[in-house]
Amino acid sequence: MLGWLSKSNRSWHLLCVYLVSLVLGWVSGITAIVCLEFKDMLHAKSIRAWDWTDVLAGALGCAIGGTIHWILFKHW
């Protein structure tokens, strides 16, 4: 698992989306996933820079952060 996260900037995607989802909820986390990938594409100046494994790492962060957000703030 750590080897998979160390490639590219997947750990950055996971951490950033986790924090956004934890504070603002899963909808904001999904928005963060798309924005981070769009940023990567703009930096590379190519549509081929879209990386589905980065999206998967972001989705994992969104699921964890969104679940904790829901438990803390919505589950009363």
Side-chain angles (χ1 to χ4, degrees):
M1 180 76 175
L2 291 177
W4 181 76
L5 279 174
S6 66
K7 291 182 183 178
S8 182
N9 56 355
R10 292 181 191 131
S11 58
W12 179 250
H13 283 259
L14 184 116
L15 179 65
C16 289
V17 174
Y18 166 75
L19 292 174
V20 168
S21 297
L22 182 65
V23 174
L24 300 172
W26 64 271
V27 174
S28 297
I30 292 171
T31 305
I33 293 170
V34 174
C35 289
L36 283 169
E37 277 307 305
F38 189 69
K39 174 207 52 100
D40 289 346
M41 284 181 13
L42 287 177
H43 182 70
K45 297 180 182 170
S46 172
I47 190 113
R48 294 178 189 253
W50 185 273
D51 187 3
W52 285 106
T53 53
D54 285 350
V55 172
L56 181 63
L60 179 63
C62 183
I64 296 168
T67 301
I68 294 172
H69 176 86
W70 183 78
I71 290 170
L72 291 177
F73 299 112
K74 311 281 189 207
H75 188 61
W76 304 103

